[in-house]
Amino acid sequence: MHDVMMDIEALSTQLGAVVLTIGAVIFDPESDRIGQTFAIRLPAQEQIDKGALVGIDTIEWWIEQTLEARNAAFHGPCAHSVAAGLGKFSRFLQRIPGERLRLWSNGPAFDSAQLQLLYARFRVELGPGMGWPVRYNADRDCRTIFSLAYPQGGIPVEEKGVAHNALDDAIWQARAVQACMQKLRVSAHP
């Protein structure tokens, strides 16, 4: 499998936000296979100290989310540093040869872009050769395939666990891409 679905949770909707959590899963969009998963929480204060953004409207939005979602984003085990967390994410992605990796998200202009900025912000701490580990042409967008297969919505995938838990969201999005690919294949060959 060469595809990874990724999701993040953040403290702002602006580019350059504090990234609270990263969730990812290796999957095959052409079947129902789901592979290894990855989840990590990153230290917020370290990011704030380097200029990452926090939005009051996003904080208010988080207050309205479920206890389970807030606990996943703000409590429990956390990487001891942002660089350590990003290093672990890089190693997870490097299980797939770089030229074959396709990185999916529900909006690369947000998820992927936020992580690229975070890698750039912590480039000194990450060390030489530890930049954003994804090729320029690897990004894939869930929203496009969702709207092509199910323009009215209603993708037939079971509930996704805890909404706004980065790993649960990534797994649901991977399952949704699989459902969309199946529908598009059937539509192309009736």
Side-chain angles (χ1 to χ4, degrees):
M1 292 186 282
H2 303 118
D3 294 78
V4 173
M5 180 65 70
M6 180 261 298
D7 187 70
I8 66 166
E9 297 300 332
L11 281 181
S12 175
T13 57
Q14 301 299 310
L15 203 52
V18 168
V19 175
L20 297 169
T21 56
I22 305 170
V25 60
I26 297 171
F27 77 110
D28 178 5
E30 301 293 332
S31 72
D32 62 354
R33 290 176 47 212
I34 295 285
Q36 293 176 306
T37 61
F38 175 88
I40 199 154
R41 194 165 69 82
L42 300 174
Q45 188 61 53
E46 189 180 356
Q47 297 174 64
I48 293 167
D49 292 346
K50 285 193 168 265
L53 303 175
V54 175
I56 294 299
D57 54 336
T58 306
I59 296 291
E60 291 170 348
W61 178 86
W62 272 112
I63 291 168
E64 296 173 3
Q65 302 313 303
T66 65
L67 178 61
E68 293 85 1
R70 290 193 316 265
N71 281 340
F74 296 97
H75 302 290
C78 185
H80 73 275
S81 69
V82 173
L86 295 177
K88 288 179 181 183
F89 185 56
S90 292
R91 287 187 293 283
F92 176 78
L93 293 176
Q94 289 165 351
R95 295 167 191 218
I96 300 168
E99 68 278 357
R100 300 185 79 184
L101 172 67
R102 292 182 295 203
L103 184 65
W104 292 81
S105 62
N106 204 7
F110 185 77
D111 294 71
S112 188
Q114 295 286 16
L115 287 181
Q116 287 180 55
L117 276 172
L118 192 58
Y119 272 82
R121 191 172 271 146
F122 283 87
R123 69 182 172 274
V124 171
E125 292 84 348
L126 285 164
M130 284 297 295
W132 176 236
V134 180
R135 288 170 54 104
Y136 72 95
N137 60 353
D139 278 320
R140 301 292 186 269
D141 187 351
C142 294
R143 291 182 180 136
T144 301
I145 195 167
F146 293 171
S147 66
L148 288 171
Y150 291 93
Q152 270 67 51
I155 301 169
V157 176
E158 62 188 61
E159 289 301 311
K160 63 174 165 181
V162 176
H164 310 299
N165 172 309
L167 179 56
D168 287 353
D169 287 352
I171 292 170
W172 185 88
Q173 290 163 195
R175 293 275 185 219
V177 165
Q178 291 170 332
C180 290
M181 292 294 283
Q182 181 179 9
K183 181 176 184 200
L184 292 171
R185 274 194 312 274
V186 169
S187 297
H189 304 289

